[in-house]
Amino acid sequence: MSSNHTMSQLPAFFLLGIPWREDIHKWLSIPFFFLYLAAALGNGAILVAVARNPSLREPMHCFLSMLAITDLALSGTTLPTTLGLLWFGISQVAFDVCLTQMFFIHVASVAESSVLLAMAVDRWAAIACPLRYSALLTHKVVARVGLAVLVRSALTLLPLPFLLLRLTYNDQRKLTHSFCFHPDIMKLAQNETEVNVHYGLFVILSTAGIDSVLIILSYIPIARVILGLGTWGERVRAAGTCVSHVAAVLVFFVPMIGLSVMHRFGSHGPLPLALVAYTYLLVPPVLNPVIYSIKCRCIWKTLIKLCFYQPGVPKWTSSPHSTHIGHKPLPITCSQRYSIQIMQMETPPLGSCQSDERGIVFGDAPV
């Protein structure tokens, strides 16, 4: 049977949203709308701040921009069907539209996992090898990482729609969620789904599984450097540079692992499954901008300057008044409480990757 014939014969799927609570869908649409709005505004604000402030072109902020893009994609792919169901009661979705949405949801998920791994490498380079940070993570390297994230996500998930096209589906075409999810669609198949199950497990292990293990391993040398610092206060300040990334990792991986386990091994009702799925796809895009804006003050300081910009005053100056006529204003740098800056010092021997305690600065005082 050809793909075109299969798609023409397959009827539409029906989305349930919040099972057994159809009577309150109109009310549920209000918090969902504000969650989507918060995700769009928060991640959009990060992208605007990084694009408009020339001093926010460090690798850390480039990876943060990638995370904001993946968060926008993750929330944007579920928005049409979710709000369409809650607002207008549109529960029917065509088979080809469902496959397209499923593909982009999983691509965005794998991309976010890959970006979080890249951010872990960034934190490792900044703390464990600070003297070589600029040489290790150049703009060309960051661009290649972004391209690798996109290619890895697309190629890994490309077989999924074709694996679903070969299946025949029963008359109970009701999906648990308000969006199309691969395990959810696969359960409606009448014929054997062993290939789909094995490939889905391969995707999980080869992407999120490997990424989570590498993230944990990257924090082992980071922990050694932090524990090797002199005083407790210095350790706390050093560990504070990784708090945002650790929080983002937990917010993303915990519900994702929970949803995968519930789909494959759990015996439960559709309501807990739907709640975990919404947590997985909506909470990280909403919380990530909040998490990073709290620790990285340069983001919201840039946004404030953009909102209250006065014509004739340079945007990226630390003071509206120049102290020297004819001198260019210095750019605003990111908060030293978040990123580790390296003081100018003698070049270490080649091959050395040990951090000199005199060279790590938190705030205005060297550690």
Side-chain angles (χ1 to χ4, degrees):
M1 182 181 294
S2 65
S3 298
N4 292 334
H5 180 67
T6 303
M7 293 178 65
S8 63
Q9 294 298 319
L10 280 173
F13 290 116
F14 294 93
L15 306 173
L16 294 182
I18 305 296
W20 306 310
R21 304 300 298 174
E22 291 82 1
D23 55 326
I24 61 171
H25 274 184
K26 293 286 185 181
W27 295 104
L28 287 175
S29 66
I30 298 176
F32 272 90
F33 170 77
F34 282 107
L35 285 174
Y36 281 115
L37 182 63
L41 293 179
N43 291 286
I46 289 177
L47 293 176
V48 170
V50 174
R52 297 297 298 273
N53 191 343
S55 67
L56 299 181
R57 304 293 166 80
E58 306 166 2
M60 177 185 68
H61 299 107
C62 294
F63 290 131
L64 182 58
S65 299
M66 296 181 193
L67 184 65
I69 293 174
T70 58
D71 281 336
L72 288 174
L74 196 62
S75 59
T77 49
T78 61
L79 184 148
T81 54
T82 300
L83 292 185
L85 175 65
L86 297 180
W87 273 347
F88 309 109
I90 303 175
S91 60
Q92 186 172 339
V93 56
F95 184 73
D96 54 343
V97 175
C98 190
L99 287 188
T100 303
Q101 184 188 48
M102 178 215 68
F103 175 74
F104 283 106
I105 287 176
H106 289 287
V107 165
S109 177
V110 173
E112 180 142 352
S113 174
S114 303
V115 171
L116 289 173
L117 174 61
M119 298 177 80
V121 175
D122 171 77
R123 290 296 84 204
W124 165 81
I127 295 179
C129 298
L131 299 178
R132 301 179 59 189
Y133 179 75
S134 299
L136 290 174
L137 293 177
T138 62
H139 289 291
K140 184 179 293 186
V141 171
V142 173
R144 290 176 179 175
V145 169
L147 181 60
V149 167
L150 182 60
V151 172
R152 179 200 191 197
S153 306
L155 292 182
T156 304
L157 277 306
L158 188 60
L160 280 188
F162 299 100
L163 292 176
L164 292 174
L165 275 173
R166 67 183 184 86
L167 302 176
T168 56
Y169 299 90
N170 55 37
D171 296 332
Q172 298 295 328
R173 301 177 303 275
K174 295 181 179 180
L175 299 177
T176 307
H177 313 295
S178 61
F179 48 85
C180 298
F181 202 61
H182 177 254
D184 209 17
I185 301 174
M186 187 176 57
K187 289 181 179 179
L188 302 179
Q190 290 180 331
N191 47 352
E192 185 60 45
T193 60
E194 185 177 357
V195 177
N196 296 67
V197 172
H198 289 324
Y199 189 76
L201 183 61
F202 165 75
V203 170
I204 290 293
L205 295 179
S206 63
T207 56
I210 292 179
D211 293 346
S212 58
V213 171
L214 292 179
I215 288 173
I216 294 173
L217 292 178
S218 69
Y219 273 92
I220 294 178
I222 292 176
R224 289 177 179 174
V225 172
I226 292 176
L227 294 177
L229 295 177
T231 65
W232 177 256
E234 295 166 356
R235 296 172 185 174
V236 171
R237 284 180 289 175
T241 63
C242 301
V243 169
S244 297
H245 180 256
V246 172
V249 168
L250 294 177
V251 165
F252 176 75
F253 279 102
V254 170
M256 184 192 68
I257 295 173
L259 182 62
S260 299
V261 171
M262 291 175 70
H263 263 294
R264 296 181 183 278
F265 309 109
S267 55
H268 42 69
L271 183 58
L273 196 62
L275 294 178
V276 175
Y278 287 126
T279 303
Y280 162 52
L281 294 175
L282 269 180
V283 171
V286 173
L287 288 187
N288 282 341
V290 178
I291 292 171
Y292 276 94
S293 62
I294 290 175
K295 294 296 296 182
C296 192
R297 295 184 178 181
C298 53
I299 298 293
W300 56 264
K301 285 182 178 180
T302 299
L303 294 174
I304 291 176
K305 284 186 174 292
L306 287 173
C307 293
F308 299 99
Y309 169 64
Q310 298 178 359
V313 178
K315 289 183 181 180
W316 315 121
T317 57
S318 57
S319 173
H321 304 288
S322 180
T323 54
H324 299 282
I325 299 176
H327 285 203
K328 294 182 179 180
L330 295 175
I332 294 178
T333 58
C334 186
S335 172
Q336 307 301 323
R337 297 174 59 186
Y338 184 82
S339 62
I340 299 179
Q341 288 198 345
I342 310 303
M343 297 175 61
Q344 293 182 352
M345 58 181 65
E346 295 181 2
T347 304
L350 293 177
S352 174
C353 192
Q354 300 296 327
S355 60
D356 190 338
E357 292 185 0
R358 294 174 300 172
I360 304 178
V361 179
F362 300 95
D364 299 324
V367 174

